[in-house]
Amino acid sequence: MGNKSSLMLQEQDIRDIQAETGFLPSQIERLYSRFTSLDKGDSGTLSREDFLRIPELAINPLGDRIVHAFFKESEDDHVNFRQFVRVLAHFRPIKKAQDNKLNAREEKLRFAFKMYDLDDDERISREELLAVLHMMVGENISDDQLNSIAERTILEADRDGDQMISFEEFCSALERTDVEQKMSIKFLK
Amino acid sequence: MKTSVLLLACVVWCALGLVAASTPTKEHHTGTTTTHEPRNETLGQVHGDGVAVHSEGEGGHGIERYPVAVIDFERVQTPFIIGLWIFLACLGKIGFHMTPKISHVFPESCMLIILGVVIGVLLIYTQAATVSPLTADVFFLYLLPPIILDAGYFMPNRLFFDNLFTILVFAVVGTIWNALTIGITMYAISLTGLFGLDIPMLHMFLFSSLISAVDPVAVLAVFEEIQVEEVLYILVFGESLLNDGVTVVLYHLFEGFSELGEDNIMAVDIASGVASFLTAFVTRLTREVRVIEPIFVFVMSYLAYLNAEIFHLSGILSITFCGITMKNYVEQNISTKSHTTIKYAMKMLASSSETIIFMFLGVSTIQSTHDWNTWFVILTILFCSIYRILGVLIFSVVCNRFRVKKIGFVDKFVMCYGGLRGAVAFALVITINPAHIPLQPMFLTATIAMVYFTVFVQGITIKPLVQLLGVKKSEKRQLTMNERLHERVMDYIMSGFEDVLGKQGHLLLRNKFKRFNNKYLTPFLVRDKNVIEPKLLETYSNIKMHEALEQMHNSYNSPQNIESFSNLLRNAATHPHVQMNNQGEWNLDVAELEYNPTVRDINDAKFHHLLSNDYKPLKKSRGSTYKRHAVKDDDMQTQSDISHHNMYLHTRQFVQNDKKLYKKAKKLGLVAVREEKGASPQHVPTSPLSQGSVGQDLASQGDNGVTKTPQDHRAAFQQNGSAIKLKQDYIARVIQDNPAFVNDDGTPIFPDQQTIMEKRRQSTKGPTMAEMALPWKRYYQDGEPQDPRRLQRALSIVNSEEDGSQPTLAEAVLPWKRPEDEEVCQMPVKQNEFPAWASNKEYVNYYSPSSTFLGKLGRHDSYPNIREIFERRNSSSSIKSRRGSLKEHPMPLRERSASRGSIDVPSTSASGTSTPTTAHDPSVPHLVRQRTSTDCSLLNTTIVEEDRRGDTVIDINPSGTEPEQTRM
């Protein structure tokens, strides 16, 4: 579809998106209205500013990373509806009936993993972990403590001894966590 | 199995005893009230009677004598009997849990009710005192609050609020649904005349409202045992907690006919919220009065409860929310100790109240007046079950529309089945005034039947059913750092996306609250610096502590781990330098150069350091003064960290392990068989610290004191008694004729000593570690006999004389050392005035002769046997003292060791067994002096070669170092 996603949602688009993401048409329409309300410039795309205009997101410690996640797939600094929906599709609850790759457990995990992976090298280094910790915790914990927490975290997950957490290691560290539930949003119909 | 049966029998017996105890009180009732003795009776008579209770005590007329002995059972009757009940119940519980067959089938509550019934029957049968059964006031004011507070306080906040919507739907709407449907149905049936009497509609609704509530106590009792998955648990339990609010409202609504509308849940929340914030605020100020902290927690929540009760609101709701809210802030303020106190006190109170409630239930079953109406009872149970099921099905459909995680079929089933009725309903039905509602007995009977049905039938069957259906069990485990961290990240992600979606989900609400909390509430309510993610830190420290403990458990298996364990602990602890000091000192220690420890010795020593450094405060607390209002945290710190008993066990195991190792070594022929028996346990230089002190003590005692030193006992062990005499004689002599041996130069002239040495030599079979050290020692010794003196000066005379481990050897060394010492210089003598340990504050505090038990013993020197127990500590002390004294010459030693190269290896702690072969030098000096070595083993490890040459004395200790020094 490219950047030229239409201002009006076509039947064809809905079907395409539904096939790709597994959203119901009603959900897609709802998402679309949200999309257009975010799109202040009526350009059919969202810019970073559009996202950061959401007040809560702006103060979310991981807000930057979250916004960044939307722009991962787009070449320029704009997110069209299709990309928007595709990112959101990661958080559809998993149902057996409609299996879709985007919302599989692994994809959810990968999304979380990407939050840490600042330099996109498919592994989390200590520095990256520290950076995220800093975002979350702020200034109140001493650097020493943060350091030891980060080290501890890596030590725990690191299986191959490279002082980094690869995606596989990340997954196995969260083996017992109910990721499916934790990373699902109830999308309204 | 036998014991459990025995215990159960014991319980029954106790029950009989209880009844017997209460029975006479009835008979004596009149007597006891008049405790005054009849005027005529003399004191002697009173004495003779022993018990001054006379039923015909007509105490009206006259002066009362002072009753010498009075039995006033009446006064304590009620609490006494209740106390007995609890005692019985506890016995019953123990017995119950020791019978695996029974406890697998029955939930505990069943057992308690049965026990209550038994007691009730006995009480009735014996016409004993009517201990007033469960009254509503007792129940609501004293028994219920602890249980609910416990539940609220330890409620997993996050789960609860995640599922709050579902819980509320079930609790509020579900309960109303139950009450209305049951009421209407029963009323309709009563109209048909099936019950044979007319039941007014309002009465019917009153009954239905009280019977419709799921009971938290019963649910807790059953669900804690079946341990279902957390979400399921929180759904059922949360419902049972919250529906009480509705029940109470409905109950009062119908009971008072006109009392309307004064109650709503918001008011409850406000009241409890205010109370709990107040608690947090108060606990913020209690830094100085730690002991009071737990009281505040309890009192405040109790007040919140009573507050709600005053206004006829649901106290249960109030105290629940009080607990939930309070926990967040209070826990950050109070000390760990207070937290532990609260935790245990709460659990204890809750479980004892629960016990009492169920037993009361049993007793009241027997004692209450009943009106059995078969149809009424049956239909009550039937409709309760039916509407429970219907309600769950309907409302779970509703809730599923809003839930991410759906309520599955199995969950629904457990929720239906978990609808237990219990003590709350029972207490409510008791409060009904029969005057207003004549059908109260029938309601009571039906309620009891319902309670019994749910607790027994459902309670017993729920466990197998849960297993059959494969309900997910909850797994209790510690979150790893990764999980904690990533879950937090996921929370942020999700709330971020909810923002993007513009949805006001519960995550958003939570994050908003969190922000508000962090910004305004926490700084105000919490004492310490507020941390945005306290859980992260908490998890981190938990994990650390856990690991340290685990390491502790495993450390004795693999000696290498000791190092890492101590490191680990020290990371968190406040002694960052100890480790370094340890190593540094080991390396610099002259004594150590001569001391060729086995790996085992080293490990023992390390282990000891570890213990003495990290677990020392236990000793300290013994001496701390008693304070009524404060418990110093540092006094108790280690106790909470690791139970001392465990430490003891570990040490034991550690030592035993060593013995095994030693035996292995013996098989290898490294150690003489004979010595090993006696010496092996004493080898261990467990406490270098304390030895020095003992040595000091002994030294101060002079000649007499020496005779009974532990070393002699050891000698007795080793030499089977033959050597003791020799040694004692020798010691005495040496000390007495000081000048005599001062003049001896170099050559050992004491025949006694020779014999000792010879004996020793005989006992050794093979070359040991000492050997390797000796070669070069001997080698250089001939050339430079003077320098070692200096070093030995450094070792204070006191130390060398007594030195904990081997006085005899010390003496052997002294003769030729002394003269030189005096001649060369006086510096070392000065050193003696400040023993090595003097500079070590910790040592002075904990181990100095004046303060330790051991030291005191040493002073009097009259308990050799007890001393023997501490022998291990003594034997190692010499190391420490020497080490300390050597601090003077750190540099030269180091250089020396560097220059010496491979030969020096024995001095480093790790070298151990490998060195002897390499260091062994064929060219052995004729004269080798033996000095007091640090360890008993060294004594015994005389060298075969020397034996051959007929050398008389072996100097293990300082001589070896001299040559190096001279070389440099």
Side-chain angles (χ1 to χ4, degrees):
Chain A
M1 287 219 99
N3 271 342
K4 279 252 170 183
S5 81
S6 54
L7 288 175
M8 290 296 297
L9 208 55
Q10 306 296 322
E11 282 293 314
Q12 183 58 37
D13 298 337
I14 292 179
R15 246 174 283 133
D16 286 351
I17 292 172
Q18 187 181 358
E20 186 184 16
T21 62
F23 281 120
L24 299 175
S26 59
Q27 288 171 328
I28 294 172
E29 272 165 32
R30 187 179 270 273
L31 286 177
Y32 188 73
S33 72
R34 177 66 183 166
F35 181 83
T36 47
S37 76
L38 287 177
D39 179 18
K40 300 289 183 204
D42 284 340
S43 61
T45 57
L46 294 178
S47 63
R48 282 180 194 273
E49 289 71 36
D50 286 328
F51 279 109
L52 292 176
R53 218 171 278 135
I54 307 170
E56 291 85 4
L57 193 60
I59 52 172
N60 190 316
L62 294 178
D64 259 352
R65 299 295 302 157
I66 292 170
V67 173
H68 182 75
F70 280 102
F71 291 93
K72 209 162 276 171
E73 295 180 29
S74 69
E75 312 80 46
D76 51 5
D77 262 2
H78 295 282
V79 177
N80 61 29
F81 181 64
R82 193 92 180 238
Q83 290 158 340
F84 181 74
V85 174
R86 200 183 301 140
V87 172
L88 290 177
H90 287 110
F91 303 103
R92 270 184 49 238
I94 298 177
K95 278 181 197 156
K96 275 163 199 146
Q98 351 154 238
D99 61 332
N100 184 285
K101 272 173 196 157
L102 279 178
N103 67 347
R105 178 189 166 91
E106 195 184 329
E107 283 305 310
K108 289 179 195 290
L109 277 172
R110 187 172 290 280
F111 193 92
F113 182 78
K114 285 289 177 194
M115 285 288 128
Y116 295 98
D117 190 14
L118 302 175
D119 56 5
D120 286 330
D121 66 347
E122 291 298 313
R123 47 190 60 198
I124 304 172
S125 70
R126 200 175 73 93
E127 285 68 31
E128 287 168 336
L129 204 57
L130 260 181
V132 174
L133 272 171
H134 261 295
M135 291 181 205
M136 281 171 55
V137 187
E139 305 304 317
N140 284 318
I141 298 184
S142 74
D143 283 353
D144 279 351
Q145 279 170 312
L146 278 190
N147 259 325
S148 49
I149 288 181
E151 264 161 27
R152 166 79 217 179
T153 311
I154 289 186
L155 186 79
E156 236 175 47
D158 190 17
R159 295 270 167 85
D160 53 12
D162 62 352
Q163 301 301 311
M164 311 262 242
I165 302 178
S166 68
F167 182 61
E168 286 72 33
E169 287 163 348
F170 184 79
C171 288
S172 58
L174 290 178
E175 229 169 13
R176 293 180 296 180
T177 308
D178 191 3
V179 182
E180 292 90 335
Q181 193 212 332
K182 282 212 157 61
M183 293 197 64
S184 297
I185 297 178
K186 180 84 189 173
F187 285 92
L188 297 179
K189 284 173 186 163
Chain B
M1 207 43 207
K2 264 186 183 175
T3 46
S4 55
V5 169
L6 210 94
L7 251 167
L8 284 177
C10 194
V11 169
V12 173
W13 181 82
C14 279
L16 285 171
L18 168 69
V19 171
S22 51
T23 312
T25 63
K26 189 72 175 176
E27 292 155 8
H28 283 286
H29 188 78
T30 47
T32 42
T33 47
T34 59
T35 53
H36 319 300
E37 283 310 304
R39 166 199 210 172
N40 310 345
E41 275 187 65
T42 61
L43 259 179
Q45 260 179 314
V46 179
H47 245 299
D49 289 339
V51 182
V53 179
H54 285 265
S55 47
E56 75 279 347
E58 62 288 87
H61 59 85
I63 309 157
E64 297 132 11
R65 297 272 181 172
Y66 177 74
V68 173
V70 178
I71 286 188
D72 195 3
F73 185 74
E74 166 80 0
R75 200 161 69 88
V76 297
Q77 187 186 28
T78 310
F80 183 77
I81 289 182
I82 290 177
L84 267 184
W85 281 19
I86 298 175
F87 176 68
L88 257 182
C90 291
L91 278 187
K93 272 189 176 183
I94 296 172
F96 177 73
H97 284 293
M98 284 173 74
T99 7
K101 274 182 193 165
I102 297 180
S103 62
H104 270 158
V105 177
F106 294 91
E108 205 179 87
S109 42
C110 295
M111 186 271 295
L112 289 173
I113 290 183
I114 291 174
L115 204 57
V117 170
V118 170
I119 291 178
V121 167
L122 286 175
L123 284 179
I124 283 195
Y125 177 72
T126 53
Q127 307 281 313
T130 51
V131 176
S132 61
L134 193 55
T135 63
D137 268 358
V138 169
F139 177 76
F140 278 115
L141 295 188
Y142 305 114
L143 294 179
L144 194 54
I147 298 175
I148 307 301
L149 178 62
D150 175 65
Y153 197 82
F154 295 105
M155 172 111 64
N157 278 356
R158 162 121 205 218
L159 269 178
F160 182 73
F161 286 109
D162 276 359
N163 298 293
L164 188 59
F165 177 75
T166 316
I167 291 171
L168 277 178
V169 166
F170 276 100
V172 178
V173 187
T175 308
I176 293 175
W177 152 271
N178 270 344
L180 289 184
T181 48
I182 292 173
I184 290 171
T185 318
M186 294 294 278
Y187 181 66
I189 289 174
S190 78
L191 287 183
T192 65
L194 188 59
F195 303 137
L197 41 81
D198 271 346
I199 305 174
M201 193 165 87
L202 275 171
H203 293 188
M204 202 64 240
F205 276 118
L206 178 64
F207 175 71
S208 71
S209 68
L210 67 87
I211 204 75
S212 63
V214 175
D215 179 55
V217 182
V219 167
L220 260 184
V222 170
F223 271 64
E224 291 231 315
E225 280 179 45
I226 60 175
Q227 298 221 323
V228 290
E229 182 203 12
E230 285 166 323
V231 177
L232 194 52
Y233 171 79
I234 210 78
L235 283 182
V236 179
F237 179 59
E239 180 202 343
S240 70
L241 270 183
L242 298 191
N243 70 11
D244 172 78
V246 182
T247 311
V248 171
V249 170
L250 286 178
Y251 176 79
H252 287 302
L253 184 87
F254 290 121
E255 187 196 31
F257 299 111
S258 55
E259 290 175 283
L260 298 177
E262 64 175 331
D263 21 36
N264 58 59
I265 294 170
M266 277 315 292
V268 176
D269 285 341
I270 290 168
S272 59
V274 167
S276 55
F277 283 139
L278 202 54
T279 316
F281 185 69
V282 169
T283 50
R284 191 190 176 201
L285 306 175
T286 57
R287 193 198 309 253
E288 302 307 325
V289 246
R290 285 270 150 88
V291 171
I292 294 186
E293 284 168 357
I295 301 181
F296 272 114
V297 172
F298 287 112
V299 168
M300 288 312 248
S301 37
Y302 191 55
L303 284 183
Y305 182 84
L306 294 182
N307 236 353
E309 288 288 315
I310 289 173
F311 300 106
H312 273 243
L313 305 174
S314 163
I316 293 184
L317 260 188
S318 169
I319 204 170
T320 304
F321 279 101
C322 186
I324 290 176
T325 331
M326 204 163 57
K327 181 180 164 196
N328 287 327
Y329 303 105
V330 168
E331 271 193 8
Q332 292 181 45
N333 281 338
I334 62 177
S335 61
T336 356
K337 271 86 236 173
S338 297
H339 182 225
T340 314
T341 313
I342 291 175
K343 196 164 124 190
Y344 279 96
M346 228 174 240
K347 291 282 176 204
M348 191 196 73
L349 282 177
S351 77
S352 49
S353 317
E354 190 189 290
T355 305
I356 296 175
I357 287 177
F358 280 116
M359 286 188 73
F360 262 137
L361 205 64
V363 172
S364 334
T365 311
I366 303 300
Q367 292 193 343
S368 306
T369 49
H370 291 289
D371 179 6
W372 181 264
N373 186 322
T374 314
W375 279 111
F376 189 75
V377 170
I378 291 175
L379 286 177
T380 303
I381 294 174
L382 184 69
F383 285 121
C384 274
S385 310
I386 288 177
Y387 287 120
R388 171 80 189 166
I389 293 169
L390 273 180
V392 168
L393 288 180
I394 293 171
F395 294 119
S396 59
V397 168
V398 174
C399 292
N400 270 346
R401 289 179 60 85
F402 301 100
R403 287 179 63 86
V404 169
K405 188 179 184 185
K406 309 289 182 203
I407 304 173
F409 169 75
V410 176
D411 298 339
K412 283 179 203 164
F413 178 81
V414 173
M415 287 176 74
C416 297
Y417 218 76
L420 304 177
R421 277 27 172 217
V424 171
F426 180 72
L428 283 175
V429 88
I430 281 180
T431 46
I432 296 178
N433 191 345
H436 294 156
I437 299 165
L439 288 174
Q440 193 255 3
M442 191 180 78
F443 289 158
L444 179 70
T445 311
T447 308
I448 287 180
M450 183 71 205
V451 171
Y452 274 49
F453 174 78
T454 52
V455 170
F456 277 84
V457 177
Q458 296 188 357
I460 290 172
T461 50
I462 195 167
K463 217 171 185 178
L465 276 175
V466 159
Q467 278 164 355
L468 199 72
L469 292 169
V471 178
K472 264 195 258 169
K473 294 284 181 78
S474 72
E475 39 174 342
K476 289 256 163 63
R477 68 194 168 84
Q478 209 173 8
L479 278 180
T480 64
M481 202 61 226
N482 272 290
E483 285 166 334
R484 174 67 86 184
L485 179 62
H486 302 327
E487 275 171 22
R488 284 304 301 140
V489 167
M490 284 178 201
D491 282 350
Y492 279 120
I493 295 174
M494 295 327 290
S495 73
F497 273 94
E498 284 188 353
D499 297 335
V500 170
L501 288 173
K503 231 180 74 176
Q504 302 283 316
H506 67 275
L507 277 172
L508 193 76
L509 273 183
R510 180 165 64 225
N511 278 311
K512 267 192 174 161
F513 173 75
K514 213 166 196 162
R515 243 173 268 133
F516 172 73
N517 188 20
N518 279 329
K519 211 167 176 183
Y520 303 109
L521 290 182
T522 314
F524 179 64
L525 294 174
V526 175
R527 177 196 307 146
D528 297 324
K529 55 172 185 184
N530 49 320
V531 172
I532 291 185
E533 296 288 345
K535 295 275 181 192
L536 279 180
L537 273 185
E538 191 187 303
T539 310
Y540 179 68
S541 54
N542 274 348
I543 289 174
K544 271 291 188 201
M545 197 59 231
H546 189 70
E547 267 178 9
L549 284 181
E550 214 153 64
Q551 199 97 28
M552 188 76 223
H553 283 278
N554 299 330
S555 62
Y556 61 87
N557 287 331
S558 49
Q560 293 87 348
N561 280 351
I562 293 176
E563 195 79 16
S564 61
F565 169 54
S566 55
N567 276 334
L568 205 119
L569 258 182
R570 271 173 199 127
N571 280 344
T574 51
H575 316 286
H577 301 301
V578 178
Q579 180 72 17
M580 218 186 62
N581 283 347
N582 250 351
Q583 282 178 345
E585 281 179 356
W586 279 113
N587 287 336
L588 293 177
D589 195 347
V590 167
E592 176 98 345
L593 293 184
E594 305 314 316
Y595 166 55
N596 307 312
T598 60
V599 173
R600 179 172 51 81
D601 289 339
I602 294 163
N603 282 330
D604 283 350
K606 277 183 193 157
F607 194 75
H608 166 77
H609 285 306
L610 204 108
L611 298 186
S612 59
N613 282 329
D614 294 320
Y615 302 101
K616 195 162 31 196
L618 198 67
K619 272 191 178 162
K620 192 176 160 193
S621 69
R622 197 194 294 151
S624 71
T625 50
Y626 171 79
K627 281 181 191 160
R628 183 81 186 266
H629 299 294
V631 183
K632 271 191 183 170
D633 274 1
D634 36 306
D635 279 351
M636 315 197 16
Q637 207 151 29
T638 49
Q639 282 169 338
S640 69
D641 291 344
I642 291 174
S643 89
H644 206 66
H645 178 65
N646 276 348
M647 290 297 307
Y648 173 71
L649 288 182
H650 288 316
T651 322
R652 284 280 299 270
Q653 257 167 322
F654 190 76
V655 172
Q656 278 176 355
N657 227 30
D658 286 341
K659 277 187 185 170
K660 279 177 200 161
L661 284 177
Y662 201 73
K663 272 177 190 165
K664 266 185 202 165
K666 157 187 150 191
K667 275 177 195 165
L668 292 175
L670 284 176
V671 187
V673 179
R674 194 175 163 198
E675 288 168 10
E676 186 223 340
K677 272 186 208 161
S680 65
Q682 290 135 8
H683 265 309
V684 196
T686 33
S687 78
L689 292 175
S690 63
Q691 293 163 324
S693 68
V694 174
Q696 275 278 344
D697 260 10
L698 292 177
S700 64
Q701 288 157 18
D703 12 348
N704 300 332
V706 186
T707 49
K708 285 192 173 179
T709 54
Q711 289 74 36
D712 291 44
H713 293 287
R714 198 175 300 151
F717 267 90
Q718 293 163 3
Q719 312 280 350
N720 291 330
S722 62
I724 297 178
K725 254 193 187 173
L726 290 175
K727 255 195 210 168
Q728 288 178 349
D729 291 349
Y730 177 68
I731 292 165
R733 203 192 306 165
V734 166
I735 293 176
Q736 278 164 5
D737 338 337
N738 250 349
F741 67 75
V742 162
N743 290 331
D744 295 337
D745 217 11
T747 52
I749 46 158
F750 294 97
D752 287 354
Q753 190 190 347
Q754 268 185 335
T755 53
I756 291 173
M757 297 321 296
E758 274 162 18
K759 283 217 170 190
R760 290 246 165 80
R761 255 175 247 139
Q762 284 165 9
S763 66
T764 61
K765 269 186 181 170
T768 52
M769 321 249 348
E771 260 187 343
M772 65 165 206
L774 286 172
W776 41 270
K777 238 182 281 161
R778 295 170 210 145
Y779 183 70
Y780 294 112
Q781 216 163 9
D782 292 329
E784 301 283 322
Q786 303 291 349
D787 268 341
R789 304 293 115 66
R790 263 193 197 170
L791 286 174
Q792 232 162 15
R793 253 180 279 123
L795 315 173
S796 66
I797 290 176
V798 178
N799 286 335
S800 59
E801 268 181 7
E802 304 307 337
D803 224 349
S805 50
Q806 293 87 15
T808 47
L809 287 181
E811 291 148 8
V813 181
L814 284 175
W816 14 287
K817 230 178 276 167
R818 280 279 166 86
E820 270 135 18
D821 272 346
E822 288 168 4
E823 289 157 19
V824 177
C825 71
Q826 302 299 330
M827 293 296 287
V829 182
K830 249 189 179 177
Q831 183 78 86
N832 294 341
E833 294 175 8
F834 303 98
W837 46 265
S839 61
N840 185 344
K841 276 185 186 170
E842 289 185 344
Y843 167 63
V844 173
N845 285 339
Y846 305 119
Y847 290 102
S848 81
S850 56
S851 65
T852 53
F853 173 63
L854 186 60
K856 282 166 194 159
L857 274 187
R859 217 173 286 148
H860 305 296
D861 197 34
S862 52
Y863 312 104
N865 286 332
I866 298 178
R867 182 92 54 66
E868 217 168 24
I869 296 167
F870 291 92
E871 227 166 2
R872 286 176 51 236
R873 173 166 281 185
N874 293 341
S875 70
S876 57
S877 70
S878 58
I879 302 171
K880 173 71 180 185
S881 54
R882 254 178 233 161
R883 191 197 303 156
S885 62
L886 276 175
K887 275 178 185 167
E888 306 232 301
H889 310 282
M891 273 318 289
L893 279 176
R894 199 164 258 172
E895 286 163 35
R896 249 178 278 137
S897 63
S899 66
R900 217 183 294 142
S902 67
I903 304 178
D904 191 37
V905 176
S907 67
T908 65
S909 55
S911 69
T913 48
S914 64
T915 36
T917 48
T918 59
H920 188 59
D921 195 336
S923 65
V924 182
H926 284 287
L927 193 84
V928 182
R929 294 170 192 151
Q930 176 149 20
R931 215 209 138 260
T932 67
S933 91
T934 49
D935 205 42
C936 197
S937 63
L938 292 181
L939 283 187
N940 308 318
T941 61
T942 341
I943 294 144
V944 179
E945 288 139 354
E946 278 166 18
D947 255 337
R948 267 190 267 123
R949 276 168 215 150
D951 294 338
T952 45
V953 189
I954 303 167
D955 188 342
I956 298 184
N957 200 9
S959 50
T961 57
E962 342 157 326
E964 257 69 43
Q965 226 178 6
T966 54
R967 251 205 251 162
M968 294 174 342

